[in-house]
Amino acid sequence: MSNNFKKGTICVQGGYSPKAGEPRVLPIYQSVTYKFDDPSNLEDLFSLQAVGHLYSRISNPTVAGFEERFAQLQGGIGAVATSSGQAAILYSIINICKSGDHIIASSSLYGGTVNLFKVHLKNLGIEVSFVSPEASKEEILSTAKENTKAIYGETIGNPELNILDFEKFAETAKILKVPFIVDNTVASPYLCNPFEHGANIVIHSTTKYADGHAQSIGGIVVDGGNFDWSNGKFEDFTTPDPSYHGLVYTEAFKEAAYITKLRVTIARDFGACLSPFNAYITNLGLETLHLRIERHSQNALSLAKWLEKHPKVKWVNYPYLETSKEYEKAKKYLNGGGSGLLTFGLDTDIEGTKRFQRALKLISLAVTLGDTRSCILHPATTTHSQLSEKELEGAGVTTDLLRISIGIEDIEDIIKDVEQALEAV
Ligand SMILES: *Cc1c(COP(=O)(O)O)cnc(C)c1O
């Protein structure tokens, strides 16, 4: 399908164009392997001389249909789906970093990412320097080292809901000649195209808005095809790979060097692949992303405005509120909506915050975001509970912060639920 279609059309029809007599809907190819007639066909596939499916850990037609739709939607040149968002983040980094390397990350990150970076990457010998999202370009540059290999940030920091200053981080990455990797999960590919703002690699937890119904854990790495891997800093891309008879990625795959290497080495060897069934479910979810995200955004803005006026609410944070300090950046980088996350604090103690959560009826207490049903979470005691006080501050998680992921129910009912629960505070 042509890339000239608009996003809503790509959501519905991208990535799969059946020929006459073939299934109208992308089928579930629940098959581990593929049949061949001639040994030389397989030999060509194994040596990357031919393109095709050979084993479903590396690629599968259902997963490929989903990857193609997602890559089109996000404006990238290719994508590799993974078993979870966490796996996508890990893959995006170990595809370019090894023991002894270093990356710079904005400190306003999803709790799981903080843990992955500060514990596990460290154990693997990859050091991460966290910088405040407010840090100046000079401050960010001052944390760089000889071995710095990437800069990392989230479009909408979860749960601080600050909007990434793309311009600043992209310019810094350019100066350092390293890729700028962006977690675009909370904005979704519909609201933000990080590649237009200087990102080189985009990752998503597709568990969230892409699936949209809280049915399948999944992740994806999308390649913008806009980074020069032969700039002298990434020798694994420019020197022969013995596991493929001395193939050189930048020579063989040109602008697709990153995503091809990720699939044929990292995905092949680490094995956190997406199942065909979960790819099917997530692909189906994507068909309504454009409709859902508009409703999520409208509902969140309405609730944020309502909460702002309530006497028991101390503060409200939603990037598309005109009173938000993030509003200018939100308008600059997000296409027409602020997505479905909003945070607020109540004028009460921790017990009052708990009473409020218990009293909610429609909005459920659940650990996820981005699905059709509204849910609430207290990050300081849940997703971010393993963080130190200083790290909590860095991630913008105050002890009174409540995060609501607004669903696509009728806003009148959501507000009524919040109103009756506030009486319990
Ligand atoms: C949920 C989430 C992740 C992790 O994704 P999983 O699919 O749960 O592994 C990463 N980043 C962000 C912003 C998330 O919200």
Side-chain angles (χ1 to χ4, degrees), residues 84-87 89 110 113 154 158 183 185-186 203 205-208 217-219 369:
S84 68
Q86 288 300 107
I89 298 166
Y110 175 69
T113 308
E154 290 181 8
N158 171 15
D183 179 340
T185 299
V186 178
I203 74 95
S205 164
T206 59
T207 313
K208 313 293 169 52
I217 299 274
L369 64 91

